[in-house]
């Protein structure tokens, strides 16, 4: 093997024909012999190019609806033969195998077929077999063979060939091989994940894949390298959003923006405007309002200090009035399912603010998986898409919640689902007024949330904290009555919690003695 190897013969067989004619024309102009199959060959011939069918090489026709066409020794031998191995060269000569120096393949659109909701049989028919086999063969033999699997690499290939007089360098072929193996790995991961879901089985081996969307300046901290990969699904959110202004999103921006948008999506836009403000993946203010501006103001008034430099998510398109209100403080990112031209003009003066718009809101009830890496393995679970309606609640105290309390309890429950455990959320008038997150003790979460409400009352010039007359949600049961009593001391009048503690009777008795209304959900929302 030498560093530079010439490209004399190329096999082009692609599902996505974007750029195919331009690439083939350039290759033909360099004297490269073109081999192809089916639709790719037809397209190139119609463009006036000379192309030899693979069936001429193999002396077998395409058969079985195209399932069998490239699975042949004269194809794979041409890809796998070591050009500096005398035995390999002799075998090629004996069996009439010509070397293939360049393979250009992109695969049947399996991921796109699944994303469109195709039925089982259609998805099966869109699993490519010959393509991955050729890609893996060419990538293995990258000492001599170039393999291109992405349209965006066509320009780099042509540039390399022109720079080296029709040859490519070994480092270039190595890079192409890496991309090729990554593609087949991602493709197989998509197939196995789809089949596991279709069969409702837990696979023996779990593969996770993504496509590079951007390299990031750094990760959570400047000494950590990071990148952002997308999984190809069409779920509205940070991965599919359009960025209208501002510098590239950082690792923390992406993480927090996802948390914010998933939270605000809990509140259906047809039920009225809602706003969520996130800081370090935890909500520091969530509210509904008669207008989007009012929803933002109410969310902001929960914790104005933490909101500075935060992430804002809206459940309705951003309007001018709301944009003007948001622009009064520094905000990292605003994400919404749209924005008016007037709102965009307001933000245009805020160069450090990133505005993202999506094609809608994610459905919080959609099924999905969450994956977390631990030392030596992966933790995989269903996404927490659990929902509770008023009909699911069980009143366990002597006093039942009023209608207004019930609305606030359900609001607080939706927010608590998105707060790091141990989570306590005080709400009043469908707005958070205190949030306690990520504490080792549930009592401490109750205290912190109440203290933050006291601080905001002082900042807003209120006589009493807004926790007076509020409702409180706990993401998991109160193991003792102390946490509930702390909430009562802060002024809460009603409580929503999962129930299920060994001491539920003690907690219910304490609630009754304090005059609280309490409901059990039978469902918890740990979020670690």
């Amino acid at each position: 093997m030498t560093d530079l190897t010439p490209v004399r013969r190329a096999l082009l067989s692609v599902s996505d024909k974007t750029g195919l004619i331009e690439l083939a024309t350039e290759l033909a102009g360099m004297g490269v012999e073109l081999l192809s199959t089916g639709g790719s060959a037809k397209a190139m011939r119609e463009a006036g190019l000379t192309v030899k069918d693979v069936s001429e090489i193999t002396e077998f026709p395409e058969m079985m609806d195209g399932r069998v066409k490239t699975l042949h020794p004269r194809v794979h031998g041409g890809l796998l033969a070591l050009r500096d191995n005398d035995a390999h060269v002799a075998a090629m000569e004996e069996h009439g195998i010509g070397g293939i120096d360049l393979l250009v393949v992109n695969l049947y659109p399996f991921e796109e077929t699944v994303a469109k909701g195709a039925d089982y049989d259609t998805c099966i028919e869109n699993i490519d077999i010959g393509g991955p086999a050729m890609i893996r063969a060419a990538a293995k033999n990258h000492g001599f063979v170039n393999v291109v699997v992405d349209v965006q690499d066509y320009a780099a290939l042509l540039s390399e060939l022109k720079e080296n007089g029709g040859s490519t360098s070994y480092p270039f072929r190595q890079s192409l091989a890496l991309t090729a193996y990554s593609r087949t790995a991602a493709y197989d991961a998509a197939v196995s994940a789809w089949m596991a879901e279709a069969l409702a089985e837990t696979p023996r081996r779990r593969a996770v894949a993504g496509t590079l969307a951007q390299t990031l300046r750094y990760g959570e901290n400047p000494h950590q390298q990071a990148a952002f990969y997308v999984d190809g699904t069409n779920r509205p959110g940070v991965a599919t959003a359009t960025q209208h202004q501002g510098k590239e999103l950082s690792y923390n921006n992406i993480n927090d923006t996802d948390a914010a948008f998933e939270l605000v999506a809990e509140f259906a836009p047809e039920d009225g405007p809602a706003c969520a403000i996130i800081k370090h993946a935890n909500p520091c203010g969530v509210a509904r309002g008669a207008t989007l501006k009012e929803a933002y103001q109410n969310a902001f008034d929960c914790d104005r200090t933490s909101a500075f430099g935060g992430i804002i998510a809206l459940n309705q398109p951003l309007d001018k009035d709301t944009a003007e209100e948001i622009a009064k403080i520094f905000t990292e990112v605003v994400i919404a399912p749209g924005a008016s031209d007037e709102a965009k003009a307001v933000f245009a003066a805020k160069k450090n603010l990133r505005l993202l718009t999506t094609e809608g809101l994610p459905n919080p009830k959609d099924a999905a998986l969450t994956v977390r890496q631990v030392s030596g393995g992966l933790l995989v679970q269903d996404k927490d898409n659990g929902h509770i309606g008023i009909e699911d609640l069980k009143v366990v105290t002597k006093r039942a919640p009023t209608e207004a309390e019930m609305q606030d309890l359900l609001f607080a429950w939706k927010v608590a689902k998105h707060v790091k455990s141990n989570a306590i959320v005080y709400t009043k008038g469908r707005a958070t007024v205190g949030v306690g997150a990520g504490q080792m003790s549930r009592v401490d979460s109750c205290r912190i949330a109440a203290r933050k409400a006291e601080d905001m009352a002082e900042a807003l010039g209120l006589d009493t904290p807004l926790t007076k007359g509020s409702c409180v949600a706990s993401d998991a049961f109160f193991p003792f009555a102390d946490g509930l009593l702390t909430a009562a001391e802060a002024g809460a009048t009603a409580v929503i919690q999962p129930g299920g503690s060994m001491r539920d009777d003690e907690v219910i008795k304490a609630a009754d003695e304090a005059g609280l209304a309490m409901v059990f959900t039978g469902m918890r929302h740990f979020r670690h």
Side-chain angles (χ1 to χ4, degrees), residues 217-243:
R217 285 170 289 158
Y218 51 82
E220 284 186 287
N221 301 290
H223 62 275
Q224 295 172 267
Q225 292 185 348
F228 182 34
Y229 291 82
V230 295
D231 64 10
T233 57
N234 294 321
R235 185 174 178 83
V238 66
T240 56
T242 299
Q243 183 170 344

PDB file of all heavy atoms in Angstrom, residues 217-243:
ATOM      1  N   ARG A 217     -18.378  24.451  21.485  1.00  0.00           N
ATOM      2  CA  ARG A 217     -17.148  25.091  21.981  1.00  0.00           C
ATOM      3  C   ARG A 217     -16.564  24.308  23.155  1.00  0.00           C
ATOM      4  O   ARG A 217     -15.365  24.155  23.267  1.00  0.00           O
ATOM      5  CB  ARG A 217     -17.455  26.528  22.417  1.00  0.00           C
ATOM      6  CG  ARG A 217     -17.660  27.496  21.250  1.00  0.00           C
ATOM      7  CD  ARG A 217     -18.185  28.828  21.749  1.00  0.00           C
ATOM      8  NE  ARG A 217     -19.565  28.711  22.202  1.00  0.00           N
ATOM      9  CZ  ARG A 217     -20.153  29.547  23.043  1.00  0.00           C
ATOM     10  NH1 ARG A 217     -19.467  30.554  23.558  1.00  0.00           N
ATOM     11  NH2 ARG A 217     -21.412  29.377  23.396  1.00  0.00           N
ATOM     12  N   TYR A 218     -17.439  23.807  24.012  1.00  0.00           N
ATOM     13  CA  TYR A 218     -17.030  22.937  25.120  1.00  0.00           C
ATOM     14  C   TYR A 218     -18.294  22.348  25.722  1.00  0.00           C
ATOM     15  O   TYR A 218     -19.422  22.644  25.291  1.00  0.00           O
ATOM     16  CB  TYR A 218     -16.213  23.686  26.182  1.00  0.00           C
ATOM     17  CG  TYR A 218     -16.831  24.968  26.696  1.00  0.00           C
ATOM     18  CD1 TYR A 218     -17.816  24.954  27.689  1.00  0.00           C
ATOM     19  CD2 TYR A 218     -16.415  26.198  26.208  1.00  0.00           C
ATOM     20  CE1 TYR A 218     -18.369  26.126  28.164  1.00  0.00           C
ATOM     21  CE2 TYR A 218     -16.970  27.380  26.677  1.00  0.00           C
ATOM     22  CZ  TYR A 218     -17.941  27.343  27.662  1.00  0.00           C
ATOM     23  OH  TYR A 218     -18.494  28.502  28.129  1.00  0.00           O
ATOM     24  N   GLY A 219     -18.132  21.492  26.717  1.00  0.00           N
ATOM     25  CA  GLY A 219     -19.265  20.847  27.345  1.00  0.00           C
ATOM     26  C   GLY A 219     -19.806  21.646  28.518  1.00  0.00           C
ATOM     27  O   GLY A 219     -19.906  22.873  28.450  1.00  0.00           O
ATOM     28  N   GLU A 220     -20.136  20.953  29.590  1.00  0.00           N
ATOM     29  CA  GLU A 220     -20.651  21.669  30.758  1.00  0.00           C
ATOM     30  C   GLU A 220     -19.621  22.651  31.295  1.00  0.00           C
ATOM     31  O   GLU A 220     -19.974  23.696  31.856  1.00  0.00           O
ATOM     32  CB  GLU A 220     -21.037  20.671  31.856  1.00  0.00           C
ATOM     33  CG  GLU A 220     -22.332  19.934  31.599  1.00  0.00           C
ATOM     34  CD  GLU A 220     -22.751  19.060  32.759  1.00  0.00           C
ATOM     35  OE1 GLU A 220     -22.113  18.009  32.965  1.00  0.00           O
ATOM     36  OE2 GLU A 220     -23.713  19.424  33.457  1.00  0.00           O
ATOM     37  N   ASN A 221     -18.344  22.313  31.125  1.00  0.00           N
ATOM     38  CA  ASN A 221     -17.247  23.168  31.577  1.00  0.00           C
ATOM     39  C   ASN A 221     -16.232  23.317  30.453  1.00  0.00           C
ATOM     40  O   ASN A 221     -16.141  22.465  29.563  1.00  0.00           O
ATOM     41  CB  ASN A 221     -16.586  22.544  32.811  1.00  0.00           C
ATOM     42  CG  ASN A 221     -17.567  22.366  33.949  1.00  0.00           C
ATOM     43  OD1 ASN A 221     -18.012  23.331  34.553  1.00  0.00           O
ATOM     44  ND2 ASN A 221     -17.926  21.112  34.249  1.00  0.00           N
ATOM     45  N   PRO A 222     -15.435  24.387  30.478  1.00  0.00           N
ATOM     46  CA  PRO A 222     -14.513  24.661  29.369  1.00  0.00           C
ATOM     47  C   PRO A 222     -13.481  23.582  29.105  1.00  0.00           C
ATOM     48  O   PRO A 222     -12.961  23.487  27.997  1.00  0.00           O
ATOM     49  CB  PRO A 222     -13.846  25.976  29.798  1.00  0.00           C
ATOM     50  CG  PRO A 222     -14.852  26.644  30.676  1.00  0.00           C
ATOM     51  CD  PRO A 222     -15.514  25.522  31.424  1.00  0.00           C
ATOM     52  N   HIS A 223     -13.169  22.740  30.096  1.00  0.00           N
ATOM     53  CA  HIS A 223     -12.156  21.706  29.869  1.00  0.00           C
ATOM     54  C   HIS A 223     -12.749  20.431  29.261  1.00  0.00           C
ATOM     55  O   HIS A 223     -12.023  19.465  29.022  1.00  0.00           O
ATOM     56  CB  HIS A 223     -11.439  21.364  31.185  1.00  0.00           C
ATOM     57  CG  HIS A 223     -12.337  20.805  32.246  1.00  0.00           C
ATOM     58  ND1 HIS A 223     -13.068  21.604  33.088  1.00  0.00           N
ATOM     59  CD2 HIS A 223     -12.634  19.524  32.593  1.00  0.00           C
ATOM     60  CE1 HIS A 223     -13.768  20.854  33.918  1.00  0.00           C
ATOM     61  NE2 HIS A 223     -13.518  19.574  33.627  1.00  0.00           N
ATOM     62  N   GLN A 224     -14.063  20.423  28.986  1.00  0.00           N
ATOM     63  CA  GLN A 224     -14.718  19.239  28.431  1.00  0.00           C
ATOM     64  C   GLN A 224     -15.078  19.462  26.961  1.00  0.00           C
ATOM     65  O   GLN A 224     -15.736  20.437  26.625  1.00  0.00           O
ATOM     66  CB  GLN A 224     -16.003  18.924  29.214  1.00  0.00           C
ATOM     67  CG  GLN A 224     -15.770  18.523  30.658  1.00  0.00           C
ATOM     68  CD  GLN A 224     -17.067  18.421  31.433  1.00  0.00           C
ATOM     69  OE1 GLN A 224     -17.503  19.365  32.065  1.00  0.00           O
ATOM     70  NE2 GLN A 224     -17.689  17.245  31.361  1.00  0.00           N
ATOM     71  N   GLN A 225     -14.637  18.550  26.094  1.00  0.00           N
ATOM     72  CA  GLN A 225     -15.042  18.605  24.693  1.00  0.00           C
ATOM     73  C   GLN A 225     -16.480  18.106  24.566  1.00  0.00           C
ATOM     74  O   GLN A 225     -16.931  17.274  25.351  1.00  0.00           O
ATOM     75  CB  GLN A 225     -14.117  17.749  23.829  1.00  0.00           C
ATOM     76  CG  GLN A 225     -12.700  18.300  23.725  1.00  0.00           C
ATOM     77  CD  GLN A 225     -11.846  17.500  22.753  1.00  0.00           C
ATOM     78  OE1 GLN A 225     -12.220  16.419  22.313  1.00  0.00           O
ATOM     79  NE2 GLN A 225     -10.688  18.031  22.417  1.00  0.00           N
ATOM     80  N   ALA A 226     -17.182  18.595  23.550  1.00  0.00           N
ATOM     81  CA  ALA A 226     -18.583  18.214  23.409  1.00  0.00           C
ATOM     82  C   ALA A 226     -19.053  18.386  21.974  1.00  0.00           C
ATOM     83  O   ALA A 226     -18.449  19.116  21.178  1.00  0.00           O
ATOM     84  CB  ALA A 226     -19.455  19.059  24.341  1.00  0.00           C
ATOM     85  N   ALA A 227     -20.125  17.709  21.649  1.00  0.00           N
ATOM     86  CA  ALA A 227     -20.762  17.827  20.341  1.00  0.00           C
ATOM     87  C   ALA A 227     -22.249  17.551  20.514  1.00  0.00           C
ATOM     88  O   ALA A 227     -22.676  16.934  21.500  1.00  0.00           O
ATOM     89  CB  ALA A 227     -20.151  16.847  19.338  1.00  0.00           C
ATOM     90  N   PHE A 228     -23.040  18.004  19.553  1.00  0.00           N
ATOM     91  CA  PHE A 228     -24.489  17.814  19.576  1.00  0.00           C
ATOM     92  C   PHE A 228     -24.883  16.914  18.413  1.00  0.00           C
ATOM     93  O   PHE A 228     -24.563  17.210  17.263  1.00  0.00           O
ATOM     94  CB  PHE A 228     -25.190  19.178  19.466  1.00  0.00           C
ATOM     95  CG  PHE A 228     -26.689  19.119  19.515  1.00  0.00           C
ATOM     96  CD1 PHE A 228     -27.350  18.183  20.283  1.00  0.00           C
ATOM     97  CD2 PHE A 228     -27.452  20.025  18.790  1.00  0.00           C
ATOM     98  CE1 PHE A 228     -28.731  18.135  20.335  1.00  0.00           C
ATOM     99  CE2 PHE A 228     -28.831  19.994  18.828  1.00  0.00           C
ATOM    100  CZ  PHE A 228     -29.475  19.047  19.604  1.00  0.00           C
ATOM    101  N   TYR A 229     -25.542  15.813  18.735  1.00  0.00           N
ATOM    102  CA  TYR A 229     -26.015  14.858  17.724  1.00  0.00           C
ATOM    103  C   TYR A 229     -27.535  14.844  17.715  1.00  0.00           C
ATOM    104  O   TYR A 229     -28.170  14.970  18.768  1.00  0.00           O
ATOM    105  CB  TYR A 229     -25.493  13.453  18.016  1.00  0.00           C
ATOM    106  CG  TYR A 229     -24.004  13.292  17.829  1.00  0.00           C
ATOM    107  CD1 TYR A 229     -23.107  13.677  18.826  1.00  0.00           C
ATOM    108  CD2 TYR A 229     -23.484  12.763  16.657  1.00  0.00           C
ATOM    109  CE1 TYR A 229     -21.737  13.541  18.658  1.00  0.00           C
ATOM    110  CE2 TYR A 229     -22.112  12.620  16.480  1.00  0.00           C
ATOM    111  CZ  TYR A 229     -21.252  13.012  17.486  1.00  0.00           C
ATOM    112  OH  TYR A 229     -19.897  12.875  17.312  1.00  0.00           O
ATOM    113  N   VAL A 230     -28.115  14.668  16.540  1.00  0.00           N
ATOM    114  CA  VAL A 230     -29.570  14.565  16.430  1.00  0.00           C
ATOM    115  C   VAL A 230     -29.929  13.141  16.018  1.00  0.00           C
ATOM    116  O   VAL A 230     -29.150  12.456  15.350  1.00  0.00           O
ATOM    117  CB  VAL A 230     -30.141  15.583  15.429  1.00  0.00           C
ATOM    118  CG1 VAL A 230     -29.906  17.001  15.921  1.00  0.00           C
ATOM    119  CG2 VAL A 230     -29.513  15.419  14.046  1.00  0.00           C
ATOM    120  N   ASP A 231     -31.126  12.710  16.415  1.00  0.00           N
ATOM    121  CA  ASP A 231     -31.511  11.312  16.170  1.00  0.00           C
ATOM    122  C   ASP A 231     -32.437  11.137  14.979  1.00  0.00           C
ATOM    123  O   ASP A 231     -32.884  10.023  14.694  1.00  0.00           O
ATOM    124  CB  ASP A 231     -32.137  10.701  17.423  1.00  0.00           C
ATOM    125  CG  ASP A 231     -33.442  11.383  17.836  1.00  0.00           C
ATOM    126  OD1 ASP A 231     -33.972  12.200  17.060  1.00  0.00           O
ATOM    127  OD2 ASP A 231     -33.940  11.082  18.938  1.00  0.00           O
ATOM    128  N   GLY A 232     -32.745  12.217  14.284  1.00  0.00           N
ATOM    129  CA  GLY A 232     -33.532  12.106  13.065  1.00  0.00           C
ATOM    130  C   GLY A 232     -35.029  12.132  13.262  1.00  0.00           C
ATOM    131  O   GLY A 232     -35.780  12.138  12.277  1.00  0.00           O
ATOM    132  N   THR A 233     -35.499  12.142  14.500  1.00  0.00           N
ATOM    133  CA  THR A 233     -36.942  12.229  14.721  1.00  0.00           C
ATOM    134  C   THR A 233     -37.402  13.665  14.492  1.00  0.00           C
ATOM    135  O   THR A 233     -36.613  14.607  14.553  1.00  0.00           O
ATOM    136  CB  THR A 233     -37.313  11.798  16.152  1.00  0.00           C
ATOM    137  OG1 THR A 233     -36.582  12.610  17.091  1.00  0.00           O
ATOM    138  CG2 THR A 233     -36.964  10.346  16.387  1.00  0.00           C
ATOM    139  N   ASN A 234     -38.693  13.808  14.248  1.00  0.00           N
ATOM    140  CA  ASN A 234     -39.238  15.129  13.927  1.00  0.00           C
ATOM    141  C   ASN A 234     -39.898  15.805  15.121  1.00  0.00           C
ATOM    142  O   ASN A 234     -40.708  16.717  14.945  1.00  0.00           O
ATOM    143  CB  ASN A 234     -40.254  15.004  12.777  1.00  0.00           C
ATOM    144  CG  ASN A 234     -39.594  14.566  11.485  1.00  0.00           C
ATOM    145  OD1 ASN A 234     -38.499  14.999  11.168  1.00  0.00           O
ATOM    146  ND2 ASN A 234     -40.259  13.680  10.756  1.00  0.00           N
ATOM    147  N   ARG A 235     -39.569  15.367  16.322  1.00  0.00           N
ATOM    148  CA  ARG A 235     -40.175  15.965  17.509  1.00  0.00           C
ATOM    149  C   ARG A 235     -39.790  17.440  17.606  1.00  0.00           C
ATOM    150  O   ARG A 235     -38.594  17.778  17.603  1.00  0.00           O
ATOM    151  CB  ARG A 235     -39.702  15.218  18.757  1.00  0.00           C
ATOM    152  CG  ARG A 235     -40.360  15.680  20.055  1.00  0.00           C
ATOM    153  CD  ARG A 235     -39.924  14.786  21.210  1.00  0.00           C
ATOM    154  NE  ARG A 235     -40.476  15.205  22.485  1.00  0.00           N
ATOM    155  CZ  ARG A 235     -41.691  14.889  22.919  1.00  0.00           C
ATOM    156  NH1 ARG A 235     -42.471  14.167  22.145  1.00  0.00           N
ATOM    157  NH2 ARG A 235     -42.127  15.295  24.100  1.00  0.00           N
ATOM    158  N   PRO A 236     -40.770  18.342  17.691  1.00  0.00           N
ATOM    159  CA  PRO A 236     -40.430  19.765  17.812  1.00  0.00           C
ATOM    160  C   PRO A 236     -39.597  20.026  19.058  1.00  0.00           C
ATOM    161  O   PRO A 236     -39.884  19.494  20.135  1.00  0.00           O
ATOM    162  CB  PRO A 236     -41.802  20.450  17.916  1.00  0.00           C
ATOM    163  CG  PRO A 236     -42.756  19.494  17.274  1.00  0.00           C
ATOM    164  CD  PRO A 236     -42.228  18.126  17.627  1.00  0.00           C
ATOM    165  N   GLY A 237     -38.567  20.810  18.909  1.00  0.00           N
ATOM    166  CA  GLY A 237     -37.705  21.103  20.043  1.00  0.00           C
ATOM    167  C   GLY A 237     -36.392  21.681  19.590  1.00  0.00           C
ATOM    168  O   GLY A 237     -36.234  22.103  18.433  1.00  0.00           O
ATOM    169  N   VAL A 238     -35.423  21.688  20.482  1.00  0.00           N
ATOM    170  CA  VAL A 238     -34.150  22.350  20.202  1.00  0.00           C
ATOM    171  C   VAL A 238     -33.410  21.698  19.038  1.00  0.00           C
ATOM    172  O   VAL A 238     -32.693  22.377  18.293  1.00  0.00           O
ATOM    173  CB  VAL A 238     -33.283  22.380  21.485  1.00  0.00           C
ATOM    174  CG1 VAL A 238     -32.868  20.980  21.914  1.00  0.00           C
ATOM    175  CG2 VAL A 238     -32.061  23.267  21.300  1.00  0.00           C
ATOM    176  N   ALA A 239     -33.585  20.394  18.844  1.00  0.00           N
ATOM    177  CA  ALA A 239     -32.865  19.698  17.770  1.00  0.00           C
ATOM    178  C   ALA A 239     -33.412  20.038  16.394  1.00  0.00           C
ATOM    179  O   ALA A 239     -32.694  19.926  15.396  1.00  0.00           O
ATOM    180  CB  ALA A 239     -32.916  18.186  17.989  1.00  0.00           C
ATOM    181  N   THR A 240     -34.673  20.433  16.314  1.00  0.00           N
ATOM    182  CA  THR A 240     -35.302  20.705  15.019  1.00  0.00           C
ATOM    183  C   THR A 240     -35.653  22.174  14.834  1.00  0.00           C
ATOM    184  O   THR A 240     -36.243  22.540  13.820  1.00  0.00           O
ATOM    185  CB  THR A 240     -36.583  19.863  14.869  1.00  0.00           C
ATOM    186  OG1 THR A 240     -37.457  20.128  15.978  1.00  0.00           O
ATOM    187  CG2 THR A 240     -36.260  18.380  14.833  1.00  0.00           C
ATOM    188  N   ALA A 241     -35.309  23.007  15.807  1.00  0.00           N
ATOM    189  CA  ALA A 241     -35.686  24.421  15.763  1.00  0.00           C
ATOM    190  C   ALA A 241     -34.865  25.210  14.752  1.00  0.00           C
ATOM    191  O   ALA A 241     -33.759  24.816  14.373  1.00  0.00           O
ATOM    192  CB  ALA A 241     -35.525  25.047  17.146  1.00  0.00           C
ATOM    193  N   THR A 242     -35.413  26.339  14.331  1.00  0.00           N
ATOM    194  CA  THR A 242     -34.701  27.306  13.499  1.00  0.00           C
ATOM    195  C   THR A 242     -34.162  28.416  14.390  1.00  0.00           C
ATOM    196  O   THR A 242     -34.926  29.019  15.162  1.00  0.00           O
ATOM    197  CB  THR A 242     -35.643  27.914  12.437  1.00  0.00           C
ATOM    198  OG1 THR A 242     -36.121  26.867  11.590  1.00  0.00           O
ATOM    199  CG2 THR A 242     -34.921  28.956  11.599  1.00  0.00           C
ATOM    200  N   GLN A 243     -32.879  28.684  14.302  1.00  0.00           N
ATOM    201  CA  GLN A 243     -32.282  29.760  15.090  1.00  0.00           C
ATOM    202  C   GLN A 243     -32.247  31.022  14.247  1.00  0.00           C
ATOM    203  O   GLN A 243     -31.696  31.041  13.153  1.00  0.00           O
ATOM    204  CB  GLN A 243     -30.873  29.395  15.554  1.00  0.00           C
ATOM    205  CG  GLN A 243     -30.241  30.467  16.436  1.00  0.00           C
ATOM    206  CD  GLN A 243     -28.941  30.021  17.090  1.00  0.00           C
ATOM    207  OE1 GLN A 243     -28.638  28.839  17.145  1.00  0.00           O
ATOM    208  NE2 GLN A 243     -28.174  30.974  17.600  1.00  0.00           N
TER     209      GLN A 243
END
